[in-house]
């Protein structure tokens, strides 16, 4: 067996091992500082936005004629989870969401399928309808600049120049300009002049379209190709005004029929404001895999260069700088990392002595250097997850080194040479350590392989921690023996095992262990009772999916009633801005009216475009100021016609509203009635805020009921009539003016007085073959109501009731408090109607289900590892029985600290089971060795517990102290608390309850255990 002893081989080839240590340490150190830095790990956002437009259609027509056919085609999409649709006047938006478990690598191919299906369905849509897909919705634009101080067109030109300069910066990915209002040339027709000339609006549209069209005009083929150009195309206000329109009595110019002017799209699709001033936003996304810190510095320099070229009065301000957030996050974690490293090394020096501590201390940076090489090869950078995993690893990776060097020290004290002591560490501890290491890694396995967005986000915990643990084992059996032979002294006096453990501390421990073994049934029963009490106490712990971020941003979603105009939304935003722009707690205010802010932070989900909504991004001066601003915004409502949803950013995947209930069914009024009852329940539930349904109330619409007989007699038709009314009321495109890279649309419309006064609709002149007639003579004009917005989910009408929480209240607490009353409402619903829970509860359930699906595999692997190591069913069951012991300390720690139990804490609890079994397997393996050496069961258990107590306590102490810096981190805190409490409780129980359980199980063995003993 000596030839398989890696520890002995290592000490026999000192030059090679020393060279490997130096080379790995140097390469790993260089790699560590070369690792990319980012704020958060990337994860695939499995959503695509499909937008369709059909000018003139009502929300119901958009739903029936456009959205429904698109949905039917998209339901065949691979990995589809659900389709969520809303329709408003003239357009609809479909959110295509894939299953949470859809593999991230397959998502681009799935989006390509969606585009092909949309292309195939375009011919089947109504004439004039169009559809487009956008999967850039998931891009993160972490570097955002605003330009203010000029008109929109000038700001857009400057933003385009800045964009071109910044895209040349190494590491730049995509760029996006937000807030551009398209330039237009407006022809405001005078309805009376038009009627007097016997012309229809369509005649003006066609005349302008013909003059502005671009068409080939031939090429003369000589020795040179000479193209023929035809002049006279429209190029501005003057040429539009002089365009001739054929009339019954000759020609007339467009300028004679109305007023021609330059302007901007009215209404625009959206507006952007910075510090209460009109602005244009330039958003830059970093290329995948780039170093955020380096890119941020280069981009800041490029922005400074651009700033020096801006005209007087124009200011460019950086409002989002991801590199600053990366620097703060990485620096904070590095401080915690080095604190944890110092604590671990201090434990080694104080408890093991100077020379022994040096051996353990050297193993830590060597392990981390090799892990850094693995991270570089695997493309894992330094971000929130990987840095936290490194800190967690610090508490674990010294375990093997401590066990290995402690075994060497014991052998040296018993008179062995340093070479024999090093070899002993391999023969007696290497394989139990390997099994224990693999058990701990398997404990993290669910998060590494679970098919969910959440696991994709947090999966680095498995890969970084797993690699660190494997490397630590290799270091413990190859490099630590080499270092031990070099640094540990030869023993000056020889002691037998009894003398080594004959100290006051060990004598007291011996008495405790003997007492527990003597009262083994009582101890085991007490442990089981303690576990049961802990499981019951777990129901008192607050539940949480992901915590809120420690970034200072405040997101204020402003919602007016569906159907509200962009102008009304902008007015409400201005009043809210007036109350916060001068607030000393607010460093910055940016408003996006009619559209969401760019995705400047990965877990942030931008709002979908809607004229009745706006998003305000407030940056507080610090976290305390953030809470004060939130309180003032909630209390002082400057725009009572608007609903405000005030929220903080989340540290992981989250829903816009943490509390959601979806009501599905066929009748909108019934849905509204059910939603009203749910709203009442949520408003009566303590801790809720921003309770609202997403449909709003019916809105007013003008209705024209045509007189069919008169329409026919006058030679009119419905389509022509609708076109003329649409042209005069909303405007109709009539060609384009080409100016540089821009295309300025020509819009023909009625005068402002005719467009903005519904009362004048009856007097609107419509053209007929016999001359113009007032619209009131061919139609009865009345007022009706309609749904301004229609939401559907998977083809069914769906009204969602949404709410947020106040203060430190968790979404799970609100859901639990409202569950009984919501269930009562659900039981009273008629057939065909249902209530589903959404929000963070649904996301948490999906993430946890993905973890739970892998638990059987995790359990099976743990069982297999234990059987390979122990070769005994009885001892395997015994070790498995210790796995839940961590729950006792974990629950106590969470209850004492008040920390919530979330997804990350769940991962810690699962991994804790592997860590506990790691200690148990080493102790149980030692009992087996002792019995093989001739000891009876009682003496073997006692000797193993006493002999293994120091490494068990030291490894637990190192881990607990290393986790302490993480306790104060918002994201990692609950996990660190779980592992600290669990390890403390489990370590104590391993030394007192495990011996009692072992004695109880094997003192009077069953036939199965006896068989295990004979073959083990």
């Amino acid at each position: 067996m000596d030839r398989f002893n890696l520890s002995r081989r290592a000490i026999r080839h000192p030059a090679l091992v020393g060279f490997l240590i130096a080379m790995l340490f140097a390469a790993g150190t260089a790699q560590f500082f070369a690792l990319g830095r980012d704020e958060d790990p990337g994860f695939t956002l499995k959503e695509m936005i499909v937008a369709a437009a059909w000018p003139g259609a009502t929300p119901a027509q958009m739903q029936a004629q456009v959205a429904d056919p698109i949905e039917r085609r998209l339901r065949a999409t691979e990995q589809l989870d659900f389709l969520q649709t809303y329709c408003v006047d003239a357009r609809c938006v479909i959110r295509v969401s894939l299953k949470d478990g859809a593999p991230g690598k397959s998502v681009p191919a799935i989006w390509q399928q969606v585009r092909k299906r949309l292309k195939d369905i375009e011919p089947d849509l109504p004439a004039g309808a169009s559809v487009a897909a956008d999967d850039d919705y998931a891009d993160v634009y972490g570097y955002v600049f605003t330009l203010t101080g000029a008109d929109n067109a000038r700001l857009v030109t400057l933003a385009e120049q800045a964009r071109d300069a910044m895209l040349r910066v190494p590491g730049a990915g995509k760029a996006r300009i937000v807030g551009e209002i398209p330039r237009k040339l407006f022809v405001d027709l005078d309805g009376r002049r038009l009627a007097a000339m016997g012309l229809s609006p369509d005649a003006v549209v066609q005349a302008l379209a013909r003059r502005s069209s671009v068409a080939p005009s031939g090429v003369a083929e000589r020795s040179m190709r000479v193209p023929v150009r035809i002049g006279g195309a429209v190029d501005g206000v003057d040429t539009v005004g002089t365009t001739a329109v054929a009339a019954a009595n000759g020609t007339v110019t467009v300028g004679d029929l109305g007023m021609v002017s330059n302007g901007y799209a009215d209404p625009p699709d959206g507006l952007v404001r910075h510090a209460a001033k009109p602005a244009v936003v330039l958003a830059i996304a970093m290329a995948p895999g780039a170093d955020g810190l380096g890119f941020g510095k280069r981009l800041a320099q490029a922005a400074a260069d651009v700033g020096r070229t801006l005209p007087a009065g124009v200011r460019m301000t950086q409002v989002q700088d991801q590199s600053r957030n990366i620097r703060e996050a990485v620096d904070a974690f590095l401080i915690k990392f080095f604190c944890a490293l110092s604590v671990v090394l201090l434990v080694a020096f104080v408890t093991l002595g100077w020379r022994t501590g040096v051996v353990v201390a050297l193993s830590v940076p060597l392990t981390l250097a090799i892990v850094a090489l693995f991270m570089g090869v695997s493309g894992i950078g330094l971000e929130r997850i990987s840095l936290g995993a490194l800190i967690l690893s610090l508490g674990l990776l010294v375990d093997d080194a401590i066990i290995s060097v402690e075994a060497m020290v014991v052998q040296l004290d018993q008179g062995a040479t340093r070479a024999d002591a090093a070899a002993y560490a391999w023969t007696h501890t290497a394989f139990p350590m390997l099994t224990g290491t693999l058990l701990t890694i398997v404990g993290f396995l669910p998060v590494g392989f679970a098919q969910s967005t959440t696991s994709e986000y947090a999966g680095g915990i498995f890969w970084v921690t797993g690699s660190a643990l494997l490397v630590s084992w290799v270091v413990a059996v190859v490099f630590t023996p080499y270092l031990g032979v070099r640094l540990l002294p030869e023993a000056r006096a020889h002691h037998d095992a009894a003398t080594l453990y004959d100290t006051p501390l060990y004598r007291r421990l011996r008495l405790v262990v003997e007492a527990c073994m003597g009262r083994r049934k009582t101890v085991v029963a007490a442990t089981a009772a303690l576990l049961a009490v802990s499981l019951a106490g777990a129901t008192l712990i607050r539940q949480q999916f992901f915590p809120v971020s420690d970034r200072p941003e405040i997101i204020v979603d402003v919602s007016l009633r569906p159907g509200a105009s962009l102008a009304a939304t902008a007015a409400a935003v201005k009043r809210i801005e007036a109350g916060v722009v001068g607030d000393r707690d607010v460093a910055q205010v940016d408003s996006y009216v009619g559209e969401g802010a760019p995705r400047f932070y990965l877990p942030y989900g931008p709002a979908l475009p809607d004229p009745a909504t706006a998003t305000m991004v407030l940056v507080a001066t610090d976290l305390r100021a953030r809470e004060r601003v939130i309180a003032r915004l909630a209390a002082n409502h400057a725009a009572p016609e608007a609903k405000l949803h005030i929220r903080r950013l989340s540290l992981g995947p989250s829903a816009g509203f943490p509390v959601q209930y979806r009501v599905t069914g066929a009748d909108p009024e019934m849905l509204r009635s059910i939603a009203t009852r749910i709203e009442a329940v949520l408003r009566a539930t303590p801790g809720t805020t921003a309770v609202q349904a997403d449909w709003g109330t019916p809105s007013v619409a003008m209705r024209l009921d045509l007189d069919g007989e008169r329409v026919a007699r006058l030679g009119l038709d419905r389509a022509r009539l609708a076109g003329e009314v649409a042209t005069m009321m909303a405007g109709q495109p009539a060609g384009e003016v080409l100016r540089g890279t821009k295309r300025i649309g020509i819009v023909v419309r009625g005068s402002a007085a005719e467009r903005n006064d519904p009362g004048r609709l009856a007097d609107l002149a419509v053209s007929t073959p016999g001359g113009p007639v007032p619209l009131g003579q061919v139609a009865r004009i009345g007022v009706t109501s309609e749904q301004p917005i229609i939401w559907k989910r998977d083809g069914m009408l769906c009204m969602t009731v949404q709410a947020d929480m106040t203060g430190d209240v968790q979404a799970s607490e609100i859901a639990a408090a409202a569950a009984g009353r919501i269930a009562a409402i659900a039981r009273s619903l008629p057939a065909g109607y249902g209530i589903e829970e959404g929000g963070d509860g649904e996301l948490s359930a999906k993430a946890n289900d993905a973890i739970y699906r892998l638990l059987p595999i995790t359990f099976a692997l743990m069982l297999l590892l234990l059987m390979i190591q122990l070769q005994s069913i009885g001892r395997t069951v015994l070790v498995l029985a210790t796995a839940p012991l961590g729950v006792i300390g974990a629950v106590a720690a969470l209850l004492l600290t008040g920390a919530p139990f979330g997804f990350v804490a769940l991962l810690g609890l699962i991994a804790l089971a592997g860590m506990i079994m790691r200690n148990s397997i080493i102790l149980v393996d030692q009992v087996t060795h002792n019995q093989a050496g001739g000891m009876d069961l009682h003496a073997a258990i006692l000797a193993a517990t006493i002999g293994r107590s120091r490494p068990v306590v030291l490894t637990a102490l190192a881990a607990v102290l290393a986790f302490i810096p993480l306790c104060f981190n918002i994201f990692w805190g609950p996990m660190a608390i779980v592992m600290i409490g669990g390890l403390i409780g489990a370590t104590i129980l391993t030394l007192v309850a495990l011996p009692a359980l072992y004695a109880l199980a094997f003192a009077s063995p069953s036939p199965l255990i006896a068989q295990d003993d004979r073959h083990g």
Side-chain angles (χ1 to χ4, degrees), residues 888-942:
I888 298 171
V891 170
L894 289 173
L895 290 175
L896 285 173
T897 59
F901 183 82
F903 179 78
V904 180
L906 172 65
L907 301 181
L909 191 62
I910 295 171
L912 191 59
M915 297 166 65
I916 294 167
M917 287 190 287
R918 181 187 196 182
N919 284 334
S920 299
I921 196 174
I922 293 175
L923 192 147
V924 169
D925 185 74
Q926 186 61 50
V927 173
T928 305
H929 278 291
N930 291 347
Q931 285 185 289
M935 291 187 185
D936 61 30
L937 179 63
H938 185 278
I941 296 173
L942 187 60

Coordinates of all heavy atoms in Angstrom, one line a residue, residues 888-942:
I888 N -31.1 22.1 14.4 CA -31.3 22.6 15.8 C -30.7 23.9 16.0 O -31.3 24.9 16.5 CB -30.8 21.5 16.8 CG1 -31.6 20.2 16.7 CG2 -30.9 22.0 18.2 CD1 -31.0 19.1 17.4
G889 N -29.4 24.0 15.7 CA -28.7 25.3 15.9 C -29.1 26.3 14.9 O -29.1 27.5 15.2
A890 N -29.4 25.9 13.7 CA -29.8 26.9 12.6 C -31.1 27.6 13.0 O -31.2 28.8 12.9 CB -29.9 26.1 11.3
V891 N -32.1 26.8 13.4 CA -33.4 27.4 13.8 C -33.2 28.4 15.0 O -33.7 29.5 15.0 CB -34.4 26.3 14.1 CG1 -35.7 27.0 14.7 CG2 -34.8 25.6 12.8
A892 N -32.4 27.9 16.0 CA -32.2 28.8 17.1 C -31.5 30.1 16.7 O -31.8 31.2 17.2 CB -31.3 28.0 18.2
A893 N -30.5 30.0 15.8 CA -29.8 31.2 15.4 C -30.7 32.1 14.7 O -30.6 33.4 14.9 CB -28.6 30.8 14.6
L894 N -31.5 31.6 13.8 CA -32.4 32.5 13.0 C -33.4 33.2 13.9 O -33.8 34.3 13.8 CB -33.1 31.7 11.9 CG -32.3 31.2 10.8 CD1 -33.0 30.3 9.9 CD2 -31.8 32.4 9.9
L895 N -34.0 32.4 14.9 CA -34.9 33.0 15.8 C -34.3 34.0 16.7 O -34.9 35.1 17.0 CB -35.6 31.9 16.7 CG -36.5 30.9 15.9 CD1 -37.0 29.8 16.9 CD2 -37.7 31.7 15.4
L896 N -33.1 33.8 17.1 CA -32.4 34.8 18.0 C -32.0 36.1 17.3 O -32.1 37.2 17.8 CB -31.1 34.1 18.6 CG -31.3 33.1 19.7 CD1 -30.0 32.5 20.1 CD2 -31.9 33.8 21.0
T897 N -31.6 35.9 16.0 CA -31.2 37.1 15.3 C -32.4 37.8 14.5 O -32.2 38.9 14.1 CB -30.1 36.7 14.2 OG1 -30.6 35.7 13.3 CG2 -28.9 36.2 14.9
G898 N -33.5 37.1 14.4 CA -34.6 37.6 13.6 C -34.4 37.6 12.1 O -35.1 38.2 11.3
A899 N -33.3 36.9 11.6 CA -33.0 36.9 10.2 C -34.0 36.0 9.5 O -34.5 35.0 10.0 CB -31.6 36.3 10.0
P900 N -34.4 36.4 8.3 CA -35.4 35.6 7.5 C -34.7 34.4 6.9 O -33.5 34.3 6.7 CB -35.9 36.6 6.4 CG -34.7 37.5 6.2 CD -34.0 37.6 7.5
F901 N -35.5 33.4 6.5 CA -35.1 32.2 5.9 C -35.5 32.3 4.4 O -36.6 32.3 4.1 CB -35.7 31.0 6.5 CG -35.2 29.6 6.0 CD1 -34.0 29.1 6.4 CD2 -35.9 29.0 5.0 CE1 -33.5 27.9 5.9 CE2 -35.5 27.8 4.5 CZ -34.2 27.2 4.9
G902 N -34.5 32.4 3.5 CA -34.7 32.5 2.1 C -34.0 31.5 1.3 O -33.5 30.5 1.8
F903 N -33.9 31.7 0.0 CA -33.3 30.8 -0.9 C -31.9 30.5 -0.6 O -31.5 29.3 -0.5 CB -33.4 31.3 -2.4 CG -32.8 30.4 -3.4 CD1 -33.5 29.3 -3.8 CD2 -31.6 30.6 -3.9 CE1 -33.0 28.4 -4.7 CE2 -31.0 29.8 -4.9 CZ -31.8 28.7 -5.3
V904 N -31.1 31.5 -0.3 CA -29.7 31.3 0.0 C -29.5 30.6 1.3 O -28.6 29.7 1.5 CB -28.9 32.7 0.0 CG1 -27.5 32.5 0.4 CG2 -29.1 33.3 -1.3
A905 N -30.4 30.9 2.3 CA -30.3 30.2 3.6 C -30.7 28.7 3.4 O -30.1 27.8 4.1 CB -31.3 30.8 4.6
L906 N -31.6 28.4 2.5 CA -32.0 27.0 2.2 C -30.7 26.3 1.7 O -30.5 25.1 2.1 CB -33.1 27.0 1.2 CG -33.5 25.6 0.6 CD1 -34.0 24.7 1.7 CD2 -34.5 25.7 -0.5
L907 N -30.0 26.9 0.8 CA -28.8 26.3 0.3 C -27.8 26.0 1.4 O -27.1 24.9 1.5 CB -28.1 27.2 -0.8 CG -28.9 27.6 -2.0 CD1 -28.1 28.4 -2.9 CD2 -29.4 26.3 -2.7
G908 N -27.7 26.9 2.4 CA -26.8 26.7 3.5 C -27.2 25.6 4.4 O -26.4 24.8 4.8
L909 N -28.5 25.4 4.5 CA -29.0 24.3 5.4 C -28.7 23.0 4.7 O -28.4 22.0 5.4 CB -30.5 24.5 5.6 CG -31.2 23.6 6.7 CD1 -30.5 23.9 8.0 CD2 -32.7 23.8 6.7
I910 N -28.9 22.9 3.4 CA -28.6 21.6 2.7 C -27.1 21.3 2.8 O -26.7 20.2 3.0 CB -29.1 21.8 1.2 CG1 -30.6 21.9 1.1 CG2 -28.7 20.5 0.4 CD1 -31.1 22.2 -0.2
A911 N -26.3 22.3 2.5 CA -24.9 22.1 2.6 C -24.4 21.7 4.0 O -23.4 21.0 4.2 CB -24.1 23.3 2.1
L912 N -25.1 22.3 5.0 CA -24.7 22.0 6.4 C -24.8 20.5 6.7 O -24.0 20.0 7.4 CB -25.7 22.8 7.3 CG -25.4 22.8 8.8 CD1 -24.0 23.5 9.0 CD2 -26.4 23.6 9.5
A913 N -25.8 19.8 6.1 CA -25.9 18.4 6.3 C -24.6 17.7 5.8 O -24.1 16.8 6.5 CB -27.1 17.9 5.5
G914 N -24.0 18.1 4.7 CA -22.8 17.4 4.3 C -21.7 17.7 5.2 O -20.8 16.9 5.5
M915 N -21.6 18.9 5.7 CA -20.5 19.3 6.6 C -20.6 18.5 7.9 O -19.6 18.1 8.5 CB -20.6 20.8 6.9 CG -20.3 21.7 5.7 SD -20.8 23.4 5.9 CE -19.6 23.9 7.1
I916 N -21.8 18.3 8.4 CA -22.0 17.6 9.7 C -21.6 16.1 9.4 O -20.9 15.5 10.3 CB -23.4 17.7 10.2 CG1 -23.7 19.1 10.5 CG2 -23.7 16.7 11.3 CD1 -25.2 19.4 10.8
M917 N -22.0 15.5 8.3 CA -21.7 14.1 8.1 C -20.2 14.0 7.9 O -19.6 12.9 8.1 CB -22.5 13.6 6.9 CG -24.0 13.4 7.2 SD -24.8 12.5 5.8 CE -24.9 13.8 4.6
R918 N -19.6 15.0 7.4 CA -18.1 15.0 7.2 C -17.4 14.7 8.6 O -16.5 13.8 8.6 CB -17.6 16.3 6.6 CG -16.1 16.3 6.4 CD -15.8 17.8 5.9 NE -14.5 17.8 5.3 CZ -13.9 18.9 4.9 NH1 -14.5 20.0 5.0 NH2 -12.7 18.9 4.4
N919 N -17.8 15.4 9.6 CA -17.2 15.2 10.9 C -17.6 13.8 11.4 O -16.8 13.1 12.1 CB -17.7 16.2 11.9 CG -16.9 17.5 11.7 OD1 -15.8 17.6 11.2 ND2 -17.6 18.6 12.0
S920 N -18.9 13.4 11.2 CA -19.4 12.1 11.7 C -18.7 11.0 11.1 O -18.3 10.0 11.8 CB -20.9 12.0 11.5 OG -21.6 13.1 12.1
I921 N -18.4 11.0 9.8 CA -17.8 9.9 9.1 C -16.3 9.7 9.6 O -15.9 8.6 9.8 CB -17.8 10.1 7.6 CG1 -17.6 8.8 6.9 CG2 -16.9 11.2 7.1 CD1 -17.7 8.8 5.4
I922 N -15.6 10.8 9.9 CA -14.3 10.7 10.4 C -14.3 10.0 11.8 O -13.5 9.1 12.1 CB -13.6 12.0 10.5 CG1 -13.4 12.5 9.0 CG2 -12.3 12.0 11.2 CD1 -12.8 13.9 8.9
L923 N -15.3 10.4 12.7 CA -15.3 9.8 14.0 C -15.7 8.3 13.9 O -15.2 7.5 14.6 CB -16.4 10.6 14.8 CG -16.4 10.3 16.3 CD1 -16.7 11.6 17.1 CD2 -17.4 9.2 16.7
V924 N -16.7 8.0 13.1 CA -17.2 6.7 13.0 C -16.1 5.8 12.4 O -15.9 4.6 12.8 CB -18.5 6.6 12.1 CG1 -18.8 5.1 11.7 CG2 -19.6 7.2 12.8
D925 N -15.4 6.3 11.4 CA -14.3 5.6 10.8 C -13.2 5.3 11.9 O -12.6 4.2 11.9 CB -13.7 6.4 9.7 CG -12.6 5.6 8.9 OD1 -13.0 4.7 8.2 OD2 -11.4 5.9 9.1
Q926 N -12.9 6.2 12.8 CA -11.9 6.0 13.8 C -12.4 4.9 14.8 O -11.6 4.1 15.3 CB -11.7 7.3 14.6 CG -10.5 7.2 15.6 CD -9.2 6.9 14.9 OE1 -8.8 7.5 13.9 NE2 -8.5 5.9 15.5
V927 N -13.7 4.9 15.1 CA -14.3 3.8 16.0 C -14.0 2.5 15.3 O -13.6 1.5 16.0 CB -15.8 4.0 16.2 CG1 -16.3 2.8 17.0 CG2 -16.0 5.3 17.0
T928 N -14.2 2.4 14.0 CA -13.9 1.1 13.3 C -12.5 0.7 13.4 O -12.1 -0.5 13.7 CB -14.3 1.2 11.9 OG1 -15.7 1.7 11.8 CG2 -14.2 -0.1 11.1
H929 N -11.6 1.7 13.2 CA -10.1 1.4 13.4 C -9.8 0.9 14.8 O -9.0 0.0 15.0 CB -9.3 2.6 13.0 CG -9.1 2.8 11.5 ND1 -8.3 2.0 10.8 CD2 -9.6 3.8 10.7 CE1 -8.4 2.4 9.5 NE2 -9.1 3.5 9.4
N930 N -10.4 1.6 15.8 CA -10.1 1.2 17.2 C -10.5 -0.2 17.5 O -9.8 -0.9 18.2 CB -10.8 2.2 18.1 CG -10.1 3.6 18.1 OD1 -9.1 3.8 17.5 ND2 -10.8 4.6 18.6
Q931 N -11.7 -0.5 17.0 CA -12.2 -1.9 17.2 C -11.3 -2.9 16.5 O -11.1 -4.0 17.0 CB -13.7 -2.0 16.7 CG -14.7 -1.4 17.6 CD -16.1 -1.6 17.2 OE1 -16.6 -1.1 16.2 NE2 -16.8 -2.4 17.9
A932 N -10.9 -2.5 15.3 CA -10.0 -3.4 14.6 C -8.7 -3.6 15.3 O -8.0 -4.7 15.2 CB -9.7 -2.9 13.2
G933 N -8.3 -2.6 16.1 CA -7.1 -2.7 16.9 C -7.2 -3.5 18.2 O -6.3 -3.6 19.0
G934 N -8.4 -4.0 18.5 CA -8.6 -4.8 19.7 C -9.5 -4.2 20.8 O -9.7 -4.9 21.8
M935 N -9.9 -3.0 20.6 CA -10.7 -2.3 21.7 C -12.1 -2.9 21.7 O -12.6 -3.2 20.6 CB -10.7 -0.8 21.5 CG -9.4 -0.1 21.7 SD -9.7 1.7 21.6 CE -8.0 2.3 21.8
D936 N -12.7 -2.9 22.8 CA -14.2 -3.2 22.9 C -14.9 -1.9 22.4 O -14.4 -0.8 22.2 CB -14.6 -3.6 24.2 CG -14.4 -2.6 25.3 OD1 -14.5 -1.4 25.0 OD2 -14.2 -2.9 26.5
L937 N -16.3 -2.1 22.2 CA -17.1 -1.0 21.6 C -17.0 0.2 22.4 O -16.8 1.3 21.9 CB -18.5 -1.5 21.4 CG -19.5 -0.5 20.9 CD1 -19.1 -0.1 19.5 CD2 -20.9 -1.0 20.9
H938 N -17.2 0.1 23.8 CA -17.3 1.3 24.6 C -15.9 2.0 24.6 O -15.9 3.3 24.4 CB -17.6 0.8 26.1 CG -17.7 2.0 27.0 ND1 -16.7 2.6 27.6 CD2 -18.9 2.6 27.5 CE1 -17.1 3.6 28.4 NE2 -18.4 3.6 28.4
A939 N -14.8 1.3 24.7 CA -13.5 2.0 24.7 C -13.2 2.6 23.3 O -12.6 3.6 23.2 CB -12.4 1.0 25.1
A940 N -13.7 1.9 22.3 CA -13.4 2.4 20.9 C -14.1 3.7 20.7 O -13.6 4.6 20.1 CB -13.8 1.3 19.9
I941 N -15.4 3.8 21.1 CA -16.2 5.0 20.9 C -15.6 6.1 21.7 O -15.4 7.2 21.2 CB -17.7 4.8 21.3 CG1 -18.3 3.7 20.4 CG2 -18.4 6.1 21.3 CD1 -19.7 3.4 20.8
L942 N -15.2 5.8 23.0 CA -14.7 6.8 23.8 C -13.3 7.4 23.3 O -13.1 8.6 23.2 CB -14.5 6.3 25.2 CG -14.0 7.3 26.3 CD1 -15.1 8.4 26.5 CD2 -13.9 6.5 27.7

